[in-house]
Amino acid sequence: MRVSIASDHAGFEQKQALVSYLNEAGYEVIDRGPASDDRVDYPDFAQVVAQDIVAGDADRGVLVCGTGIGMAIAANKIDGIRAANVVTPNFAALAREHNDANIVTVSGRFTDLETNEAILDAFLTTEFGGGRHAGRVAKIEALERN
Ligand code: RB5
């Protein structure tokens, strides 16, 4: 599975650790930066990861900022993106199972690394449930066309 990942300055330290974690777990990781913790604007990085998903260059995305909130708001502006801001592994699993989320956004400041690793495990291994959830996701997609 190909995973595109990026952060802003507030998420940089955890992004670096999560890149290593995903590489060691055998994922094909596309690190979209930044390359340092110099101050940057999170929408720029959300856009790049979102475009990797929409273009089919990555299967899932991971975005890390201070809270994960700004990254989710920005990524969800891109048609085809369902980004979920998650603080627990069970919410990560539900974001996949119920919402078919294709990007998870996490907090580099308020969630510890071990929890974020467990969030990524859940996010990257849980399949979409389909069934009754599929029609709801189709309605989300229809909102993009309005
Ligand atoms: C940066 O200070 C901070 O605003 C950003 O990382 C993020 O938390 C925004 O949602």
Side-chain angles (χ1 to χ4, degrees):
M1 180 185 289
R2 299 159 304 166
V3 181
S4 178
I5 182 168
S7 73
D8 70 355
H9 51 285
F12 175 74
E13 193 177 323
Q14 281 219 27
K15 189 263 290 178
Q16 296 302 95
L18 292 171
V19 166
S20 300
Y21 182 74
L22 292 174
N23 273 320
E24 282 164 23
Y27 292 100
E28 184 182 327
V29 182
I30 306 164
D31 183 354
R32 292 302 195 185
S36 78
D37 65 357
D38 290 350
R39 193 163 293 276
V40 293
D41 296 328
Y42 58 82
D44 298 332
F45 291 87
Q47 181 181 15
V48 173
V49 167
Q51 284 174 340
D52 278 341
I53 302 291
V54 171
D57 294 332
D59 303 299
R60 304 265 170 84
V62 177
L63 291 164
V64 193
C65 66
T67 58
I69 295 170
M71 285 292 200
I73 292 171
N76 279 318
K77 296 294 182 190
I78 311 276
D79 284 0
I81 294 303
R82 290 178 298 281
N85 183 209
V86 163
V87 295
T88 65
N90 58 330
F91 271 38
L94 287 167
R96 287 287 312 131
E97 191 181 326
H98 287 205
N99 313 115
D100 199 15
N102 46 20
I103 292 181
V104 68
T105 76
V106 296
S107 167
R109 283 185 174 153
F110 300 98
T111 306
D112 62 53
L113 178 61
E114 189 177 298
T115 301
N116 277 334
E117 289 172 348
I119 285 170
L120 295 202
D121 287 343
F123 184 73
L124 297 173
T125 60
T126 304
E127 293 300 322
F128 178 46
R132 71 187 190 279
H133 305 297
R136 296 162 185 161
V137 171
K139 287 189 176 188
I140 294 173
E141 290 170 338
L143 293 173
E144 292 173 351
R145 297 189 288 276
N146 289 337

